[in-house]
Amino acid sequence: LNLSPDQKSELQSASHGMEEERKAIETIYTSLTALMSNSWLMNSGIEECTEQFTSILNPTQMSKFLLWADHNSEAIDQLDYVNAPPANAQPNSSPTFAFGIDESTAMEES
């Protein structure tokens, strides 16, 4: 195309963030494929609850939620949905979830 240096710079600026968006879409696709391939995960009660939750989120929020869930998959796997204690009971042990940016990581990046 014989692009000028200015054109190359504009194209690079215009494509900023596209790789992150592509990864987010890939995560969504992988998650939905996993859900659809495990029919036991998709029953009417779960579908209703999932639709109610996801209808509140915009696409960016949904993407962030799925990335958070992927990042916290080990802790989520530790949750015991079937034998959960009453809401007012103190848990014996609980998984550790990560929220936001780890302070040590944030300091290293700056």
Side-chain angles (χ1 to χ4, degrees), residues 38-58:
N38 293 293
S39 60
W40 61 271
L41 289 172
M42 298 304 290
N43 64 44
S44 60
I46 291 175
E47 283 186 53
E48 183 180 318
C49 186
T50 302
E51 286 174 13
Q52 183 180 12
F53 175 74
T54 59
S55 69
I56 297 169
L57 304 177
N58 66 40

Side-chain angles (χ1 to χ4, degrees), residues 38-96:
N38 293 293
S39 60
W40 61 271
L41 289 172
M42 298 304 290
N43 64 44
S44 60
I46 291 175
E47 283 186 53
E48 183 180 318
C49 186
T50 302
E51 286 174 13
Q52 183 180 12
F53 175 74
T54 59
S55 69
I56 297 169
L57 304 177
N58 66 40
T60 301
Q61 291 168 326
M62 187 65 190
S63 176
K64 288 179 180 180
F65 170 74
L66 291 172
L67 289 170
W68 174 86
D70 183 54
H71 181 75
N72 288 285
S73 61
E74 286 184 31
I76 292 169
D77 288 343
Q78 292 175 25
L79 296 173
D80 187 350
Y81 301 103
V82 176
N83 299 306
N88 59 356
Q90 292 293 321
N92 295 335
S93 65
S94 61
T96 304

Side-chain angles (χ1 to χ4, degrees), residues 90-106:
Q90 292 293 321
N92 295 335
S93 65
S94 61
T96 304
F97 290 95
F99 295 94
I101 299 173
D102 182 11
E103 289 180 22
S104 62
T105 305

